Amino acid sequence: MRTTALMSTAAPRSLQQTVIERRELRPDDVDVRVTHCGVCHSDLHALASVGPGAGLVPGHEFVGEVVAVGSDVTSFAPGDAVAVGNIVDSCGTCTMCLRDQENFCVEFPTLTYAGRDRVDGSTTLGGYSGRYVVRDSFVYHRPTSLDPAGVAPLMCAGITVWEPLRTNGVGEGTRLGVVGLGGLGHLAVRLGRALGAEVTVFTTSEGKATDALRLGASRVVVSTDADAMAAAAGSLDLVIDTVSVEHDLVPYLRVLDLDGTLCSLGYLGPIDIQAMDLLLGRKRLTAAGSGGRRWTQDLLDFCGTHGVTADVEVVPAADVDVALDRLARNDVRYRFVLDLADIDAELA
Ligand SMILES: [Zn+2]
Ligand SMILES: [Zn+2]
């Protein structure tokens, strides 16, 4: 089946509408008409790392409706409101997959774009397109009570913060810190608050304080203010650090109370920490990324119940280059979402 996709070109951060072919439905496949796809920082990294002519189609947090299903599919039907995230397949039999952690699949999960299809070996092409064909196990029911554009970022930014919030047992009265108020951070604040946590936001930009409070934080600490950081020492149970550039983690270990946990979600490379920074207070340093199927559906269900979505700026598919440029400058509050509903209009 043919569909229109936004594909990389020789020019950096420039995508072009290109007609691509999606596979014929396998028995366990779902054909999704994509209406909205979030623009993730990973998309920028992927575009920067592929050579000209690689034909990359980014996009791994999208929503839409089911068009058709394969002969063995029982949990979806045409017209269903669905969402797809950054994993579209996994081995299904390893120790991680068997514990609902397909994101840590020992054989590596199949990524939604630039991944390798487990059946035919082809390179996956992402959600910046009108249609996507995906194995049913990696399609999720999406609450129709929520704005679909605001749901799309839940599928990457959202699940990435949700899994550590859940697995660290965040609930009523948890003292939660969130470092960085971007795509991930703003969702960590909102979800943490909806779980009942008292949320402290650490930010370098004082200008984000009002927004942090609006999103549900009860305290904002400017992380460059040494006195404010010292005053916050020992005050938190869990800190979710969403900053993806190299930075010192020690100040965020110091704001933890006894047995507190610092969870870093950025790919920081080598980390420099003295054992004493962990020993004093029996603190834990951990990391996480993406999410398994179980937590992903859990997130969507929770957001439906609690009315949680991302703050998005919806842009037409034709403006994707502008969105990518602005994202590269961090000029977005808090996630760009491409409107893809009409991208296949000329194909018909
Ligand atoms: Zn992403
Ligand atoms: Zn596996």
Side-chain angles (χ1 to χ4, degrees):
M1 163 242 312
R2 292 158 76 235
T3 186
T4 312
L6 299 170
M7 186 178 274
S8 63
T9 61
R13 284 213 296 272
S14 178
L15 303 181
Q16 193 166 35
Q17 296 205 8
T18 308
V19 175
I20 61 165
E21 196 68 38
R22 293 291 187 194
R23 66 177 181 246
E24 292 301 315
L25 293 192
R26 299 171 187 152
D28 59 351
D29 269 343
V30 176
D31 173 6
V32 179
R33 185 188 313 283
V34 182
T35 59
H36 300 88
C37 184
V39 180
C40 175
H41 268 281
S42 314
D43 303 345
L44 283 178
H45 295 307
L47 286 167
S49 64
V50 295
L56 179 84
V57 177
H60 63 196
E61 45 177 50
F62 58 88
V63 297
E65 277 106 41
V66 174
V67 179
V69 297
S71 54
D72 290 351
V73 175
T74 53
S75 43
F76 296 95
D80 281 359
V82 293
V84 176
N86 51 30
I87 295 171
V88 288
D89 206 357
S90 72
C91 85
T93 57
C94 74
T95 54
M96 290 295 172
C97 287
L98 291 176
R99 281 180 285 179
D100 303 312
Q101 298 288 176
E102 294 82 0
N103 47 329
F104 307 137
C105 175
V106 171
E107 293 186 19
F108 202 73
T110 305
L111 302 179
T112 306
Y113 67 82
R116 192 176 164 78
D117 183 84
R118 295 184 118 78
V119 176
D120 64 20
S122 60
T123 300
T124 54
L125 300 170
Y128 288 13
S129 70
R131 301 273 275 274
Y132 196 99
V133 174
V134 50
R135 190 178 165 200
D136 58 351
S137 320
F138 291 84
V139 183
Y140 303 89
H141 289 284
R142 139 179 89 81
T144 49
S145 56
L146 300 176
D147 170 35
V151 171
L154 298 176
M155 300 307 293
C156 177
I159 185 59
T160 298
V161 299
W162 183 245
E163 204 172 271
L165 288 173
R166 280 302 225 189
T167 54
N168 283 286
V170 170
E172 208 59 50
T174 302
R175 297 168 301 167
L176 171 69
V178 175
V179 185
L181 200 61
L184 273 67
H186 93 287
L187 283 170
V189 174
R190 202 167 254 166
L191 291 165
R193 184 71 203 110
L195 284 165
E198 283 167 35
V199 185
T200 298
V201 166
F202 296 91
T203 173
T204 51
S205 103
E206 212 158 340
K208 285 193 173 170
T210 316
D211 237 17
L213 299 173
R214 173 184 64 83
L215 291 162
S218 53
R219 178 169 68 155
V220 180
V221 176
V222 176
S223 54
T224 49
D225 178 343
D227 292 341
M229 287 299 285
S235 67
L236 297 169
D237 303 308
L238 172 69
V239 170
I240 302 277
D241 183 343
T242 69
V243 176
S244 60
V245 294
E246 203 178 307
H247 62 288
D248 188 6
L249 295 180
V250 173
Y252 300 110
L253 288 171
R254 299 215 168 120
V255 298
L256 292 173
D257 199 354
L258 178 66
D259 287 321
T261 298
L262 170 61
C263 179
S264 167
L265 301 178
Y267 302 106
L268 299 185
I271 293 171
D272 195 12
I273 298 231
Q274 298 298 318
M276 202 53 89
D277 288 316
L278 297 172
L279 185 154
L280 294 173
R282 211 160 47 213
K283 293 167 185 176
R284 303 182 182 101
L285 174 63
T286 178
S290 185
R293 293 164 54 212
R294 171 183 162 211
W295 291 119
T296 303
Q297 189 63 58
D298 177 60
L299 167 65
L300 288 169
D301 295 345
F302 179 89
C303 288
T305 305
H306 295 266
V308 175
T309 53
D311 278 17
V312 297
E313 193 175 328
V314 180
V315 295
D319 291 348
V320 62
D321 291 0
V322 177
L324 290 168
D325 272 334
R326 284 185 51 199
L327 178 62
R329 300 195 303 269
N330 275 324
D331 172 22
V332 57
R333 287 203 177 170
Y334 283 92
R335 202 74 156 178
F336 284 114
V337 171
L338 299 172
D339 181 342
L340 298 157
D342 296 325
I343 197 169
D344 276 338
E346 283 167 28
L347 268 188

